[in-house]
Amino acid sequence: MAPPGTKNLAKSRPGGYLIAVIGDADTVAGFLMAGVGERDGKKEVNYFEVDLKDTPVPAIEDAFKRFTEREDIAIVLINQYIANEIRPVLSKFSAPVPAVLEIPSKEHPYDASKDSILQRVRNMLGTA
């Protein structure tokens, strides 16, 4: 039995589990071309394209909350520079599933010192 507030991935979901993507246009397009995108019966998608000039931070936070609350999503990929915009929300998220992974973008390199998962691991190991 899964701990309260977590998903039990041991039970098979018909069609498998999804990867959600929150990213810039290039990142989202790349994952969609790789076959990650899906639109369900409610016309909900598992991706959210962000342009920091035009996308308000509350909209990014809302997409993150929607994806992390869905039962069919096992992994949320988010460009690290976008994750920095919603860092307080990301820091509060502690469920093991979906796993939230920060990824680089074409324009913004990955910075391990800002990765929330690596920070949690360091804290658990006492190497923070």
Side-chain angles (χ1 to χ4, degrees):
M1 181 181 228
T6 64
K7 299 172 193 171
N8 185 357
L9 292 181
K11 292 182 179 177
S12 178
R13 177 185 173 274
Y17 291 91
L18 300 175
I19 296 173
V21 180
I22 301 173
D24 57 25
D26 290 335
T27 300
V28 171
F31 279 99
L32 291 178
M33 287 189 291
V36 168
E38 183 172 295
R39 182 179 306 269
D40 66 13
K42 298 176 191 173
K43 304 219 185 266
E44 292 180 5
V45 295
N46 61 328
Y47 54 89
F48 185 73
E49 186 177 317
V50 175
D51 179 346
L52 288 182
K53 292 181 278 182
D54 298 327
T55 308
V57 170
I60 303 168
E61 292 172 345
D62 181 58
F64 178 79
K65 289 175 186 174
R66 276 194 332 269
F67 293 153
T68 55
E69 291 172 358
R70 284 179 52 176
E71 292 293 320
D72 60 343
I73 293 178
I75 300 172
V76 176
L77 300 175
I78 183 169
N79 285 131
Q80 189 175 54
Y81 81 99
I82 295 169
N84 290 336
E85 297 296 315
I86 63 166
R87 186 64 61 196
V89 173
L90 222 81
S91 296
K92 289 179 186 173
F93 182 76
S94 61
V97 177
V100 178
L101 304 175
E102 296 179 26
I103 60 174
S105 70
K106 189 167 92 174
E107 303 285 326
H108 302 87
Y110 174 78
D111 181 355
S113 68
K114 294 180 182 178
D115 190 311
S116 58
I117 290 178
L118 290 178
Q119 287 176 358
R120 286 184 196 155
V121 170
R122 285 188 194 111
N123 287 339
M124 288 188 318
L125 297 176
T127 59

